[in-house]
Amino acid sequence: MHHHDFQHIVDGVVGAAAIASTVIGNPLLRAFYRKWGATEHEAHRLLPGDELIETPRLQYTRAITIAAPPEQVWPWLIQIGHRRAGWYSYDVLEDMIGAGTFVEGESAEHVVPDLQQLAVGDEIPLHDKLAFRVERIQSPRLLLLCEARDNVTGERFDCSDPRPADFTVATWAFVLEEPESTEPPEYRGGTRLLIRWRLDYTPTRSHDVMWKGFVEPINFVMERRMMLGLKHRAEASGG
């Protein structure tokens, strides 16, 4: 067994343990993980895509500062996804839920030239049955993804369309900005990455339990790791 494989499995166990403890501690941890890394101002300010879901049932804003300019972070960001370059997260857990088929076998450690063209209407799959659509894209500053679905028919609809009776709609925005001047010197000329997720759905008990009890905490563990993975790759690829 290669050290690399072993490391993958250890990572998966750590990730699974983090998910379990986050699901169990969810009510207490929610305030923390809904704005992991973000300032109060960042957590509450308007960001692109907010207008697509005016009254979300769930929202979070997470942030990380990267010692690499937006132009260097962008190629790593736009290649993410299932059947794409991966999630830079816990690959072994992605495999278990069927979201782990990546072009390189595991999350890519380099920029994949074939995945550098991304346009409005393109899809970034989460797994074979679910994909986010590119709603707006401004290189290297904004990637706005949206997924809107009629829960009865399973049909997708446009994020700005009227909502059917039983629906789920989610926006996922990646915003790359200049870091605050209060950041340490190594971040000058770097990137402040804000990620905002907004969700609205027809309120039912089962939807509440699924989203708040399971999806939200699992999403936090995986996305936090993704942000750290993106930071590591972008910083390592400089110079």
Side-chain angles (χ1 to χ4, degrees):
M1 185 176 196
H2 294 100
H3 167 73
H4 193 64
D5 297 340
F6 180 68
Q7 191 55 48
H8 253 64
I9 291 162
V10 170
D11 265 5
V13 171
V14 170
I19 286 171
S21 55
T22 310
V23 168
I24 293 160
N26 184 30
L28 299 170
L29 291 168
R30 183 173 284 153
F32 160 74
Y33 64 63
R34 280 204 179 156
K35 54 176 201 286
W36 181 80
T39 63
E40 283 298 320
H41 171 66
E42 287 169 335
H44 295 108
R45 58 179 266 216
L46 278 172
L47 286 179
D50 285 0
E51 72 286 351
L52 293 171
I53 301 179
E54 286 175 4
T55 51
R57 293 187 182 277
L58 282 181
Q59 169 175 309
Y60 67 64
T61 310
R62 297 184 185 132
I64 196 166
T65 308
I66 302 172
E71 293 76 11
Q72 209 169 291
V73 178
W74 186 255
W76 294 98
L77 172 62
I78 63 168
Q79 66 181 15
I80 59 170
H82 171 62
R83 303 201 177 280
R84 294 171 57 79
W87 299 106
Y88 316 138
S89 187
Y90 298 101
D91 285 354
V92 71
L93 297 182
E94 307 280 5
D95 279 344
M96 284 165 62
I97 59 166
T101 307
F102 308 143
V103 292
E104 305 272 306
E106 53 196 42
S107 286
E109 295 288 346
H110 61 98
V111 170
V112 180
D114 289 354
L115 297 174
Q116 292 302 302
Q117 302 300 318
L118 198 60
V120 169
D122 285 351
E123 301 205 333
I124 293 187
L126 291 186
H127 55 71
D128 284 339
K129 299 211 166 52
L130 183 64
F132 272 85
R133 226 175 241 158
V134 178
E135 188 76 21
R136 210 175 303 156
I137 185 166
Q138 291 158 331
S139 164
R141 294 290 175 187
L142 171 68
L143 176 60
L144 175 62
L145 307 176
C146 188
E147 154 70 4
R149 208 169 273 273
D150 182 320
N151 294 332
V152 178
T153 64
E155 293 297 307
R156 300 172 81 158
F157 59 91
D158 196 77
C159 287
S160 44
D161 284 354
R163 314 295 192 226
D166 187 355
F167 72 92
T168 304
V169 59
T171 56
W172 199 8
F174 298 81
V175 181
L176 294 79
E177 298 185 334
E178 306 302 321
E180 294 285 318
S181 53
T182 50
E183 292 273 11
E186 64 266 25
Y187 291 121
R188 282 194 198 126
T191 304
R192 182 72 170 161
L193 172 65
L194 302 176
I195 300 184
R196 175 165 295 170
W197 202 76
R198 280 160 78 90
L199 175 78
D200 191 16
Y201 52 82
T202 305
T204 63
R205 180 85 187 115
S206 62
H207 281 166
D208 274 343
V209 168
M210 179 180 80
W211 288 106
K212 293 181 177 163
F214 291 96
V215 178
E216 193 185 37
I218 290 168
N219 168 289
F220 165 65
V221 171
M222 302 304 277
E223 186 169 274
R224 173 185 167 276
R225 177 65 179 252
M226 178 178 91
M227 292 169 80
L228 293 168
L230 186 63
K231 173 183 168 79
H232 167 73
R233 286 165 172 79
E235 290 180 352
S237 65

PDB file of all heavy atoms in Angstrom, residues 4 6 23 37-38 68 74 84 89 101 107 110 118 120 161 170 182 190 192 199 207-208 210 220 229 233 235 239:
ATOM      1  N   HIS A   4       0.805   7.263  -0.190  1.00  0.00           N
ATOM      2  CA  HIS A   4      -0.184   8.199  -0.722  1.00  0.00           C
ATOM      3  C   HIS A   4      -1.606   7.680  -0.486  1.00  0.00           C
ATOM      4  O   HIS A   4      -2.487   8.414  -0.052  1.00  0.00           O
ATOM      5  CB  HIS A   4       0.088   8.377  -2.210  1.00  0.00           C
ATOM      6  CG  HIS A   4      -0.644   9.527  -2.800  1.00  0.00           C
ATOM      7  ND1 HIS A   4      -0.401  10.825  -2.416  1.00  0.00           N
ATOM      8  CD2 HIS A   4      -1.634   9.583  -3.722  1.00  0.00           C
ATOM      9  CE1 HIS A   4      -1.212  11.624  -3.087  1.00  0.00           C
ATOM     10  NE2 HIS A   4      -1.959  10.905  -3.884  1.00  0.00           N
ATOM     11  N   PHE A   6      -2.514   5.477   1.738  1.00  0.00           N
ATOM     12  CA  PHE A   6      -2.746   5.459   3.175  1.00  0.00           C
ATOM     13  C   PHE A   6      -3.170   6.858   3.649  1.00  0.00           C
ATOM     14  O   PHE A   6      -4.119   7.001   4.407  1.00  0.00           O
ATOM     15  CB  PHE A   6      -1.462   5.008   3.886  1.00  0.00           C
ATOM     16  CG  PHE A   6      -1.617   4.955   5.379  1.00  0.00           C
ATOM     17  CD1 PHE A   6      -2.439   4.001   5.963  1.00  0.00           C
ATOM     18  CD2 PHE A   6      -0.963   5.868   6.188  1.00  0.00           C
ATOM     19  CE1 PHE A   6      -2.594   3.960   7.340  1.00  0.00           C
ATOM     20  CE2 PHE A   6      -1.117   5.832   7.565  1.00  0.00           C
ATOM     21  CZ  PHE A   6      -1.933   4.878   8.139  1.00  0.00           C
ATOM     22  N   VAL A  23     -22.301  17.180  12.589  1.00  0.00           N
ATOM     23  CA  VAL A  23     -23.745  16.864  12.553  1.00  0.00           C
ATOM     24  C   VAL A  23     -24.306  16.814  13.971  1.00  0.00           C
ATOM     25  O   VAL A  23     -25.346  17.388  14.274  1.00  0.00           O
ATOM     26  CB  VAL A  23     -24.005  15.529  11.800  1.00  0.00           C
ATOM     27  CG1 VAL A  23     -25.435  15.061  12.008  1.00  0.00           C
ATOM     28  CG2 VAL A  23     -23.718  15.684  10.313  1.00  0.00           C
ATOM     29  N   GLY A  37     -14.165  31.989   8.839  1.00  0.00           N
ATOM     30  CA  GLY A  37     -13.154  32.814   8.183  1.00  0.00           C
ATOM     31  C   GLY A  37     -13.613  34.209   7.788  1.00  0.00           C
ATOM     32  O   GLY A  37     -12.803  35.044   7.402  1.00  0.00           O
ATOM     33  N   ALA A  38     -14.927  34.475   7.856  1.00  0.00           N
ATOM     34  CA  ALA A  38     -15.456  35.756   7.381  1.00  0.00           C
ATOM     35  C   ALA A  38     -15.642  36.739   8.532  1.00  0.00           C
ATOM     36  O   ALA A  38     -15.945  36.336   9.658  1.00  0.00           O
ATOM     37  CB  ALA A  38     -16.793  35.541   6.670  1.00  0.00           C
ATOM     38  N   ALA A  68      -1.711  34.865  -3.194  1.00  0.00           N
ATOM     39  CA  ALA A  68      -1.543  34.749  -4.650  1.00  0.00           C
ATOM     40  C   ALA A  68      -2.599  35.667  -5.254  1.00  0.00           C
ATOM     41  O   ALA A  68      -3.701  35.770  -4.713  1.00  0.00           O
ATOM     42  CB  ALA A  68      -1.765  33.308  -5.111  1.00  0.00           C
ATOM     43  N   TRP A  74      -7.768  31.909  -9.912  1.00  0.00           N
ATOM     44  CA  TRP A  74      -8.875  31.668 -10.850  1.00  0.00           C
ATOM     45  C   TRP A  74      -8.785  30.343 -11.608  1.00  0.00           C
ATOM     46  O   TRP A  74      -9.773  29.592 -11.661  1.00  0.00           O
ATOM     47  CB  TRP A  74      -8.949  32.849 -11.814  1.00  0.00           C
ATOM     48  CG  TRP A  74     -10.105  32.822 -12.751  1.00  0.00           C
ATOM     49  CD1 TRP A  74     -10.079  32.519 -14.078  1.00  0.00           C
ATOM     50  CD2 TRP A  74     -11.482  33.121 -12.447  1.00  0.00           C
ATOM     51  NE1 TRP A  74     -11.331  32.609 -14.623  1.00  0.00           N
ATOM     52  CE2 TRP A  74     -12.216  32.974 -13.651  1.00  0.00           C
ATOM     53  CE3 TRP A  74     -12.157  33.484 -11.286  1.00  0.00           C
ATOM     54  CZ2 TRP A  74     -13.592  33.185 -13.719  1.00  0.00           C
ATOM     55  CZ3 TRP A  74     -13.530  33.692 -11.352  1.00  0.00           C
ATOM     56  CH2 TRP A  74     -14.233  33.547 -12.552  1.00  0.00           C
ATOM     57  N   ARG A  84     -14.548  16.632 -13.338  1.00  0.00           N
ATOM     58  CA  ARG A  84     -13.659  17.738 -13.696  1.00  0.00           C
ATOM     59  C   ARG A  84     -12.380  17.555 -12.862  1.00  0.00           C
ATOM     60  O   ARG A  84     -11.911  16.442 -12.720  1.00  0.00           O
ATOM     61  CB  ARG A  84     -14.366  19.078 -13.454  1.00  0.00           C
ATOM     62  CG  ARG A  84     -15.562  19.268 -14.407  1.00  0.00           C
ATOM     63  CD  ARG A  84     -16.408  20.479 -14.047  1.00  0.00           C
ATOM     64  NE  ARG A  84     -15.641  21.716 -14.023  1.00  0.00           N
ATOM     65  CZ  ARG A  84     -15.278  22.419 -15.087  1.00  0.00           C
ATOM     66  NH1 ARG A  84     -15.624  22.000 -16.304  1.00  0.00           N
ATOM     67  NH2 ARG A  84     -14.590  23.541 -14.970  1.00  0.00           N
ATOM     68  N   SER A  89     -10.771  18.442  -1.709  1.00  0.00           N
ATOM     69  CA  SER A  89     -11.308  18.195  -0.369  1.00  0.00           C
ATOM     70  C   SER A  89     -10.938  16.771   0.052  1.00  0.00           C
ATOM     71  O   SER A  89      -9.824  16.329  -0.209  1.00  0.00           O
ATOM     72  CB  SER A  89     -12.823  18.438  -0.384  1.00  0.00           C
ATOM     73  OG  SER A  89     -13.363  18.371   0.910  1.00  0.00           O
ATOM     74  N   THR A 101     -15.448  11.185  -9.191  1.00  0.00           N
ATOM     75  CA  THR A 101     -14.809  10.822 -10.461  1.00  0.00           C
ATOM     76  C   THR A 101     -14.150  12.072 -11.023  1.00  0.00           C
ATOM     77  O   THR A 101     -14.843  13.010 -11.413  1.00  0.00           O
ATOM     78  CB  THR A 101     -15.861  10.292 -11.459  1.00  0.00           C
ATOM     79  OG1 THR A 101     -16.590   9.253 -10.823  1.00  0.00           O
ATOM     80  CG2 THR A 101     -15.204   9.769 -12.720  1.00  0.00           C
ATOM     81  N   SER A 107      -8.160  14.705  -6.823  1.00  0.00           N
ATOM     82  CA  SER A 107      -8.145  16.156  -7.028  1.00  0.00           C
ATOM     83  C   SER A 107      -6.830  16.589  -7.672  1.00  0.00           C
ATOM     84  O   SER A 107      -5.748  16.213  -7.207  1.00  0.00           O
ATOM     85  CB  SER A 107      -8.334  16.873  -5.687  1.00  0.00           C
ATOM     86  OG  SER A 107      -9.673  16.763  -5.263  1.00  0.00           O
ATOM     87  N   HIS A 110      -2.471  20.230 -10.517  1.00  0.00           N
ATOM     88  CA  HIS A 110      -2.002  21.236 -11.480  1.00  0.00           C
ATOM     89  C   HIS A 110      -3.206  21.764 -12.246  1.00  0.00           C
ATOM     90  O   HIS A 110      -4.291  21.187 -12.217  1.00  0.00           O
ATOM     91  CB  HIS A 110      -0.957  20.635 -12.433  1.00  0.00           C
ATOM     92  CG  HIS A 110      -1.478  19.497 -13.250  1.00  0.00           C
ATOM     93  ND1 HIS A 110      -1.920  19.643 -14.538  1.00  0.00           N
ATOM     94  CD2 HIS A 110      -1.662  18.181 -12.928  1.00  0.00           C
ATOM     95  CE1 HIS A 110      -2.361  18.474 -14.987  1.00  0.00           C
ATOM     96  NE2 HIS A 110      -2.212  17.578 -14.037  1.00  0.00           N
ATOM     97  N   LEU A 118     -14.795  28.255 -19.300  1.00  0.00           N
ATOM     98  CA  LEU A 118     -16.054  28.110 -18.580  1.00  0.00           C
ATOM     99  C   LEU A 118     -16.935  29.297 -18.962  1.00  0.00           C
ATOM    100  O   LEU A 118     -16.470  30.433 -18.962  1.00  0.00           O
ATOM    101  CB  LEU A 118     -15.787  28.096 -17.072  1.00  0.00           C
ATOM    102  CG  LEU A 118     -16.888  27.547 -16.163  1.00  0.00           C
ATOM    103  CD1 LEU A 118     -17.216  26.093 -16.482  1.00  0.00           C
ATOM    104  CD2 LEU A 118     -16.490  27.683 -14.696  1.00  0.00           C
ATOM    105  N   VAL A 120     -21.223  31.042 -19.230  1.00  0.00           N
ATOM    106  CA  VAL A 120     -22.592  31.035 -18.716  1.00  0.00           C
ATOM    107  C   VAL A 120     -23.351  29.865 -19.349  1.00  0.00           C
ATOM    108  O   VAL A 120     -23.249  29.633 -20.553  1.00  0.00           O
ATOM    109  CB  VAL A 120     -23.287  32.378 -19.018  1.00  0.00           C
ATOM    110  CG1 VAL A 120     -24.789  32.300 -18.730  1.00  0.00           C
ATOM    111  CG2 VAL A 120     -22.650  33.491 -18.202  1.00  0.00           C
ATOM    112  N   ASP A 161     -36.591  32.581 -12.617  1.00  0.00           N
ATOM    113  CA  ASP A 161     -38.006  32.283 -12.916  1.00  0.00           C
ATOM    114  C   ASP A 161     -38.850  32.254 -11.644  1.00  0.00           C
ATOM    115  O   ASP A 161     -38.325  32.061 -10.550  1.00  0.00           O
ATOM    116  CB  ASP A 161     -38.132  30.879 -13.559  1.00  0.00           C
ATOM    117  CG  ASP A 161     -37.696  30.881 -15.010  1.00  0.00           C
ATOM    118  OD1 ASP A 161     -37.413  31.973 -15.534  1.00  0.00           O
ATOM    119  OD2 ASP A 161     -37.608  29.786 -15.595  1.00  0.00           O
ATOM    120  N   ALA A 170     -30.679  27.031  -5.084  1.00  0.00           N
ATOM    121  CA  ALA A 170     -29.457  27.362  -4.346  1.00  0.00           C
ATOM    122  C   ALA A 170     -28.531  28.180  -5.233  1.00  0.00           C
ATOM    123  O   ALA A 170     -28.410  27.912  -6.430  1.00  0.00           O
ATOM    124  CB  ALA A 170     -28.748  26.082  -3.910  1.00  0.00           C
ATOM    125  N   THR A 182      -5.406  45.494   6.513  1.00  0.00           N
ATOM    126  CA  THR A 182      -5.009  45.028   7.856  1.00  0.00           C
ATOM    127  C   THR A 182      -4.385  43.622   7.836  1.00  0.00           C
ATOM    128  O   THR A 182      -3.871  43.156   8.844  1.00  0.00           O
ATOM    129  CB  THR A 182      -6.250  44.972   8.777  1.00  0.00           C
ATOM    130  OG1 THR A 182      -7.279  44.240   8.089  1.00  0.00           O
ATOM    131  CG2 THR A 182      -6.779  46.358   9.093  1.00  0.00           C
ATOM    132  N   GLY A 190      -2.471  39.817  -2.848  1.00  0.00           N
ATOM    133  CA  GLY A 190      -3.086  38.489  -2.851  1.00  0.00           C
ATOM    134  C   GLY A 190      -4.580  38.562  -3.121  1.00  0.00           C
ATOM    135  O   GLY A 190      -5.061  39.494  -3.782  1.00  0.00           O
ATOM    136  N   ARG A 192      -8.605  37.875  -1.451  1.00  0.00           N
ATOM    137  CA  ARG A 192      -9.581  37.529  -0.425  1.00  0.00           C
ATOM    138  C   ARG A 192     -10.691  36.800  -1.167  1.00  0.00           C
ATOM    139  O   ARG A 192     -11.337  37.374  -2.054  1.00  0.00           O
ATOM    140  CB  ARG A 192     -10.104  38.800   0.246  1.00  0.00           C
ATOM    141  CG  ARG A 192     -11.098  38.549   1.373  1.00  0.00           C
ATOM    142  CD  ARG A 192     -10.429  37.975   2.595  1.00  0.00           C
ATOM    143  NE  ARG A 192     -11.353  37.953   3.745  1.00  0.00           N
ATOM    144  CZ  ARG A 192     -11.175  37.196   4.825  1.00  0.00           C
ATOM    145  NH1 ARG A 192     -10.109  36.407   4.912  1.00  0.00           N
ATOM    146  NH2 ARG A 192     -12.027  37.228   5.826  1.00  0.00           N
ATOM    147  N   LEU A 199     -29.835  29.462   0.012  1.00  0.00           N
ATOM    148  CA  LEU A 199     -30.737  28.358  -0.296  1.00  0.00           C
ATOM    149  C   LEU A 199     -32.160  28.732   0.076  1.00  0.00           C
ATOM    150  O   LEU A 199     -32.402  29.291   1.143  1.00  0.00           O
ATOM    151  CB  LEU A 199     -30.306  27.131   0.531  1.00  0.00           C
ATOM    152  CG  LEU A 199     -31.209  25.908   0.443  1.00  0.00           C
ATOM    153  CD1 LEU A 199     -30.964  25.161  -0.863  1.00  0.00           C
ATOM    154  CD2 LEU A 199     -30.943  24.962   1.610  1.00  0.00           C
ATOM    155  N   HIS A 207     -37.517  18.665   4.502  1.00  0.00           N
ATOM    156  CA  HIS A 207     -36.522  19.562   3.904  1.00  0.00           C
ATOM    157  C   HIS A 207     -35.667  20.209   4.984  1.00  0.00           C
ATOM    158  O   HIS A 207     -34.448  20.299   4.852  1.00  0.00           O
ATOM    159  CB  HIS A 207     -37.202  20.668   3.090  1.00  0.00           C
ATOM    160  CG  HIS A 207     -37.656  20.215   1.744  1.00  0.00           C
ATOM    161  ND1 HIS A 207     -38.528  20.945   0.973  1.00  0.00           N
ATOM    162  CD2 HIS A 207     -37.350  19.113   1.027  1.00  0.00           C
ATOM    163  CE1 HIS A 207     -38.741  20.304  -0.178  1.00  0.00           C
ATOM    164  NE2 HIS A 207     -38.047  19.190  -0.154  1.00  0.00           N
ATOM    165  N   ASP A 208     -36.325  20.683   6.042  1.00  0.00           N
ATOM    166  CA  ASP A 208     -35.577  21.323   7.136  1.00  0.00           C
ATOM    167  C   ASP A 208     -34.560  20.375   7.744  1.00  0.00           C
ATOM    168  O   ASP A 208     -33.411  20.727   7.952  1.00  0.00           O
ATOM    169  CB  ASP A 208     -36.538  21.794   8.239  1.00  0.00           C
ATOM    170  CG  ASP A 208     -37.107  23.179   7.944  1.00  0.00           C
ATOM    171  OD1 ASP A 208     -36.532  23.886   7.089  1.00  0.00           O
ATOM    172  OD2 ASP A 208     -38.108  23.554   8.578  1.00  0.00           O
ATOM    173  N   MET A 210     -33.266  17.651   6.432  1.00  0.00           N
ATOM    174  CA  MET A 210     -32.215  17.294   5.487  1.00  0.00           C
ATOM    175  C   MET A 210     -31.190  18.421   5.362  1.00  0.00           C
ATOM    176  O   MET A 210     -29.991  18.207   5.514  1.00  0.00           O
ATOM    177  CB  MET A 210     -32.814  16.990   4.110  1.00  0.00           C
ATOM    178  CG  MET A 210     -31.741  16.649   3.089  1.00  0.00           C
ATOM    179  SD  MET A 210     -32.432  16.284   1.450  1.00  0.00           S
ATOM    180  CE  MET A 210     -32.723  17.919   0.812  1.00  0.00           C
ATOM    181  N   PHE A 220     -20.117  22.128   5.263  1.00  0.00           N
ATOM    182  CA  PHE A 220     -19.089  22.937   5.917  1.00  0.00           C
ATOM    183  C   PHE A 220     -17.744  22.208   5.981  1.00  0.00           C
ATOM    184  O   PHE A 220     -16.705  22.755   5.620  1.00  0.00           O
ATOM    185  CB  PHE A 220     -19.513  23.338   7.342  1.00  0.00           C
ATOM    186  CG  PHE A 220     -18.347  23.844   8.152  1.00  0.00           C
ATOM    187  CD1 PHE A 220     -17.696  25.019   7.784  1.00  0.00           C
ATOM    188  CD2 PHE A 220     -17.862  23.140   9.235  1.00  0.00           C
ATOM    189  CE1 PHE A 220     -16.589  25.487   8.489  1.00  0.00           C
ATOM    190  CE2 PHE A 220     -16.753  23.594   9.947  1.00  0.00           C
ATOM    191  CZ  PHE A 220     -16.122  24.772   9.570  1.00  0.00           C
ATOM    192  N   GLY A 229      -7.570  23.656   0.365  1.00  0.00           N
ATOM    193  CA  GLY A 229      -6.927  22.995  -0.775  1.00  0.00           C
ATOM    194  C   GLY A 229      -6.677  23.963  -1.925  1.00  0.00           C
ATOM    195  O   GLY A 229      -5.631  23.923  -2.578  1.00  0.00           O
ATOM    196  N   ARG A 233      -2.937  25.153  -3.290  1.00  0.00           N
ATOM    197  CA  ARG A 233      -2.554  24.991  -4.692  1.00  0.00           C
ATOM    198  C   ARG A 233      -2.178  26.321  -5.334  1.00  0.00           C
ATOM    199  O   ARG A 233      -1.192  26.422  -6.058  1.00  0.00           O
ATOM    200  CB  ARG A 233      -3.684  24.305  -5.472  1.00  0.00           C
ATOM    201  CG  ARG A 233      -3.801  22.817  -5.170  1.00  0.00           C
ATOM    202  CD  ARG A 233      -5.129  22.265  -5.668  1.00  0.00           C
ATOM    203  NE  ARG A 233      -5.185  20.809  -5.555  1.00  0.00           N
ATOM    204  CZ  ARG A 233      -5.438  20.158  -4.418  1.00  0.00           C
ATOM    205  NH1 ARG A 233      -5.642  20.825  -3.293  1.00  0.00           N
ATOM    206  NH2 ARG A 233      -5.480  18.827  -4.400  1.00  0.00           N
ATOM    207  N   GLU A 235      -1.164  29.094  -3.903  1.00  0.00           N
ATOM    208  CA  GLU A 235       0.068  29.643  -3.329  1.00  0.00           C
ATOM    209  C   GLU A 235       1.291  28.879  -3.810  1.00  0.00           C
ATOM    210  O   GLU A 235       2.335  29.472  -4.092  1.00  0.00           O
ATOM    211  CB  GLU A 235      -0.008  29.629  -1.791  1.00  0.00           C
ATOM    212  CG  GLU A 235      -1.009  30.645  -1.260  1.00  0.00           C
ATOM    213  CD  GLU A 235      -1.126  30.670   0.262  1.00  0.00           C
ATOM    214  OE1 GLU A 235      -0.542  29.788   0.931  1.00  0.00           O
ATOM    215  OE2 GLU A 235      -1.809  31.574   0.772  1.00  0.00           O
ATOM    216  N   GLY A 239       5.348  31.629  -8.832  1.00  0.00           N
ATOM    217  CA  GLY A 239       6.787  31.844  -8.919  1.00  0.00           C
ATOM    218  C   GLY A 239       7.585  30.583  -8.982  1.00  0.00           C
ATOM    219  O   GLY A 239       8.764  30.597  -8.961  1.00  0.00           O
TER     220      GLY A 239
END
